[in-house]
Amino acid sequence: MHENGEPADITNVKSISKIWLVPIVAICMGAWMFYHQWSNQGPLINIVFENASGLEVGKTKIKMHNVDVGEVKTIALTEDLQKVLVTARMSANSEGLLRESTEFWAVNPRISLNGISGLNTLVSGTYINMSTNLEGPSSRDFVALSAPPITPSGTPGLHVTLNSDAEFAFKEGDPVIYKGLKVGEFESIYFNFEERIVYYNTFIQAPYHKLITTNTKFWNTSGVEMDIGANGFKVKSSSIETLITNGVAFGVPEGMPQGNKVSERSYFNIHDSYDSAAEERYKESAKFVILVEDTVRGLHVGAPVEYRGIKVGKVLDINPPNANQQKWLDAGVAIPVVIGIQPGRVEQTDDDIGIEFINRQITTWVENGFRASLQTGNLLTGALFVNLEQYANVPSVEMEKFQDYPVIPSISNEFSQITEKVSAILDNINDMDLIQLSEAANKMMDDISASANSMNSTADDFAGTLKQMKEQQVSAKLANALEGIEELTSGFSSGSRTNNEINETLDTLQQRLRELQPLLLELNQAPNSLIFDKAPKPYLQPGIRKNNTQQERK
């Protein structure tokens, strides 16, 4: 109340100021942004790594086909403190990518025999790569791969499993070759301890996976293949890549049908070489035994069996383990060799019908001189092969049995035959009485020596006689020659008639030359004087003219 008694003017004040509108709007915007972010963010996933090398919270990205699909949020140790648990936030559109088959791995610079990878991380830093084939149920927990997969999930192609019980071994990343082209790789390796066989999970890339059929064969092409056997010396090599690492090749051997295409995982054997893989087209064999009395050194399992130079089979076993071993030290015991004659090689069906035909044919031939022998196929290595041939001068025998195998009679090889002939010659030499032969030889040598001495004496006498005869003949001829020379010289001696005649002839010749001298001088000074008549001129002597001229000059 004022002092003058007038009543106060009371006005109601508003409880909320307009300034509060700013934080309210900010809260609403933040709530909307939070809701938008929450509604658009992807799920959280957990990835277990061996270590956290190169990974950083808030920086390391998760990529697929080089597109960011997530980011690392936390990094911590697992409960057992043995590995690293990485929590990552994925993008909203990556929900369908998170399957049990999805694979994660850290990308770092890596150098191996298969090449160099991850060089881009030197600038951008380590990132996590992922791949999936969109198969299987959804998942949020994953275990990262320790290294990039050989074949990322979802890659088109075909998975096959190769197995081998040989000594050679392959590793992850080794190539699969087709006609020199790399068309696949080994993905993983598993060793079966019960079977003692190594299995290789292998991937064939599209479109080359269409080449895999039921008749496809795989064989080793690692390094350089050297084969020294009965067929000679062979050297083969594949691509440069397989010279450094291991590798296999595949294909359908020549002469085999292509077979049906394989559309799902199948199992194949890895053969030692193409030749051994090509042998698989002959699946059936008519088995026989040959009993070898000679040495089998140089004969190996797989050695060819030939009939008149044509390969008809191969050696299956040498000295089978179920043979009667206690007799090998006995004299005259033959060593059994199991051979297989393949019907497919002799234009027969590769089945039981072809085997039955071979058995009947061999039985008939054995009765008519069909025999087996070991022959040397390579002189350098001494490798042997089994030769089958019909002989006319051998006795007829019936087919026998050895451990349920029909027996083809055998004969000695050419080396054994030569050895037998040499032994026979040596036996004949041993049967001779060498002492008596030596005495007879010594007596004969004494007789020959006496005869030679007699001949030498006779030759010396004959040579002396011949020398005397020659000396007498030479003396007579020399005397005759001297007499002739003496008679000839006496005819030309002084006072002889011949000498006088020669002297008269020389005097007459000298006189005629003096008479012709003036004529010759005239012709020399005036050659035409014989034709033209001229007054005679005094003959001037060169010496007189010269003297007169000198007097005049004086």
Side-chain angles (χ1 to χ4, degrees):
M1 180 178 291
H2 296 281
E3 294 179 356
N4 55 8
E6 293 180 356
D9 186 8
I10 300 173
T11 304
N12 295 328
V13 179
K14 295 181 180 179
S15 60
I16 300 176
S17 175
K18 292 181 180 180
I19 196 64
W20 286 102
L21 293 175
V22 176
I24 292 173
V25 172
I27 292 172
C28 292
M29 291 181 63
W32 181 86
M33 292 176 64
F34 176 79
Y35 173 78
H36 183 271
Q37 180 69 20
W38 177 81
S39 62
N40 289 315
Q41 71 179 356
L44 283 173
I45 63 172
N46 297 320
I47 309 173
V48 177
F49 285 86
E50 295 290 335
N51 56 71
S53 176
L55 302 181
E56 297 183 25
V57 175
K59 293 184 178 181
T60 303
K61 303 295 183 180
I62 298 178
K63 297 184 179 183
M64 182 174 180
H65 300 306
N66 211 27
V67 176
D68 294 344
V69 294
E71 185 179 274
V72 173
K73 294 300 181 182
T74 63
I75 300 176
L77 294 175
T78 58
E79 294 181 358
D80 58 0
L81 305 179
Q82 299 298 319
K83 296 184 180 181
V84 175
L85 178 62
V86 175
T87 302
R89 174 70 68 179
M90 303 297 294
S91 60
N93 57 357
S94 63
E95 180 71 26
L97 303 177
L98 302 176
R99 306 286 181 173
E100 288 185 351
S101 60
T102 302
E103 297 174 334
F104 293 88
W105 66 93
V107 178
N108 296 302
R110 188 181 300 272
I111 300 176
S112 64
L113 292 176
N114 296 322
I116 302 175
S117 61
L119 291 180
N120 58 336
T121 60
L122 295 175
V123 178
S124 62
T126 301
Y127 65 90
I128 300 174
N129 206 351
M130 65 174 291
S131 65
T132 182
N133 57 6
L134 303 178
E135 296 180 358
S138 299
S139 179
R140 295 294 183 270
D141 298 316
F142 304 93
V143 176
L145 302 176
S146 59
I150 302 300
T151 306
S153 299
T155 304
L158 176 67
H159 289 86
V160 297
T161 299
L162 308 179
N163 61 82
S164 170
D165 56 357
E167 295 297 331
F168 53 81
F170 302 92
K171 63 181 183 300
E172 295 179 358
D174 284 345
V176 178
I177 307 297
Y178 180 78
K179 295 187 180 300
L181 300 176
K182 180 181 178 181
V183 299
E185 291 179 322
F186 287 83
E187 291 185 320
S188 60
I189 303 172
Y190 170 72
F191 178 74
N192 190 315
F193 286 91
E194 295 181 357
E195 300 177 357
R196 297 187 179 182
I197 296 177
V198 181
Y199 291 94
Y200 303 94
N201 293 321
T202 308
F203 182 77
I204 308 298
Q205 304 171 2
Y208 301 100
H209 70 288
K210 299 178 181 179
L211 300 172
I212 306 300
T213 65
T214 54
N215 287 336
T216 297
K217 307 297 179 184
F218 290 80
W219 60 89
N220 180 27
T221 59
S222 304
V224 178
E225 177 187 350
M226 301 180 64
D227 182 18
I228 304 177
N231 292 326
F233 181 79
K234 298 180 181 179
V235 178
K236 294 181 181 179
S237 64
S238 186
S239 62
I240 297 178
E241 185 174 4
T242 57
L243 292 176
I244 302 175
T245 62
N246 294 330
V248 298
F250 70 90
V252 178
E254 184 179 356
M256 292 186 64
Q258 291 296 321
N260 300 323
K261 292 184 179 180
V262 175
S263 59
E264 57 185 10
R265 182 183 291 271
S266 300
Y267 291 82
F268 298 90
N269 295 324
I270 302 178
H271 299 276
D272 295 340
S273 62
Y274 171 80
D275 294 335
S276 62
E279 288 289 334
E280 292 296 320
R281 58 180 168 173
Y282 305 110
K283 300 183 181 299
E284 302 295 336
S285 296
K287 298 179 180 180
F288 300 89
V289 166
I290 60 174
L291 301 176
V292 180
E293 297 182 356
D294 303 322
T295 178
V296 293
R297 183 178 180 85
L299 184 67
H300 303 282
V301 174
V305 176
E306 298 183 358
Y307 173 70
R308 299 174 63 184
I310 300 175
K311 185 176 181 180
V312 296
K314 61 181 178 180
V315 175
L316 302 179
D317 197 1
I318 301 174
N319 187 19
N322 55 351
N324 194 2
Q325 300 289 345
Q326 66 268 18
K327 293 184 178 181
W328 293 145
L329 297 179
D330 297 343
V333 175
I335 300 175
V337 176
V338 181
I339 65 173
I341 299 178
Q342 298 162 326
R345 292 185 179 273
V346 292
E347 300 181 356
Q348 299 297 320
T349 57
D350 195 13
D351 52 19
D352 294 337
I353 298 176
I355 294 176
E356 184 178 356
F357 174 83
I358 295 296
N359 288 328
R360 291 198 311 267
Q361 190 69 36
I362 296 298
T363 301
T364 303
W365 283 2
V366 167
E367 296 176 355
N368 297 322
F370 188 74
R371 299 292 184 268
S373 63
L374 299 183
Q375 303 289 340
T376 302
N378 192 317
L379 295 176
L380 179 62
T381 62
L384 302 177
F385 69 95
V386 178
N387 183 55
L388 302 176
E389 197 166 346
Q390 292 178 333
Y391 296 87
N393 299 323
V394 294
S396 177
V397 297
E398 295 182 357
M399 184 77 74
E400 298 179 355
K401 289 284 186 178
F402 179 86
Q403 295 182 356
D404 297 332
Y405 292 118
V407 177
I408 299 178
S410 62
I411 62 175
S412 300
N413 56 25
E414 69 272 11
F415 181 77
S416 298
Q417 294 175 2
I418 295 173
T419 304
E420 291 177 358
K421 293 179 180 179
V422 173
S423 298
I425 295 173
L426 294 177
D427 292 339
N428 293 332
I429 294 175
N430 291 331
D431 293 338
M432 295 180 181
D433 190 352
L434 297 181
I435 297 176
Q436 183 178 359
L437 182 62
S438 177
E439 293 177 354
N442 291 332
K443 183 177 180 181
M444 182 178 65
M445 292 300 296
D446 293 337
D447 295 339
I448 293 174
S449 178
S451 300
N453 293 330
S454 178
M455 291 180 64
N456 290 332
S457 178
T458 304
D460 293 337
D461 296 340
F462 180 76
T465 304
L466 183 62
K467 183 178 181 181
Q468 292 178 0
M469 292 176 64
K470 288 183 177 181
E471 291 178 352
Q472 292 177 359
Q473 291 178 358
V474 170
S475 299
K477 290 181 179 180
L478 182 60
N480 294 330
L482 292 174
E483 291 178 357
I485 293 172
E486 184 180 1
E487 182 179 356
L488 179 63
T489 53
S490 62
F492 288 92
S493 62
S494 178
S496 64
R497 180 179 178 184
T498 302
N499 191 323
N500 294 331
E501 291 178 354
I502 292 173
N503 291 331
E504 291 178 359
T505 302
L506 292 175
D507 293 339
T508 304
L509 180 60
Q510 186 175 7
Q511 182 179 358
R512 296 292 183 267
L513 289 176
R514 284 196 299 266
E515 293 176 353
L516 290 175
Q517 186 175 5
L519 177 61
L520 294 175
L521 293 174
E522 180 66 22
L523 291 176
N524 186 29
Q525 293 180 359
N528 56 355
S529 62
L530 296 176
I531 301 173
F532 300 98
D533 187 12
K534 293 182 179 181
K537 293 181 180 181
Y539 175 74
L540 297 179
Q541 295 182 359
I544 297 175
R545 181 179 179 84
K546 182 178 180 180
N547 293 333
N548 293 334
T549 305
Q550 291 177 354
Q551 292 178 0
E552 292 176 356
R553 288 178 181 178
K554 291 179 180 180

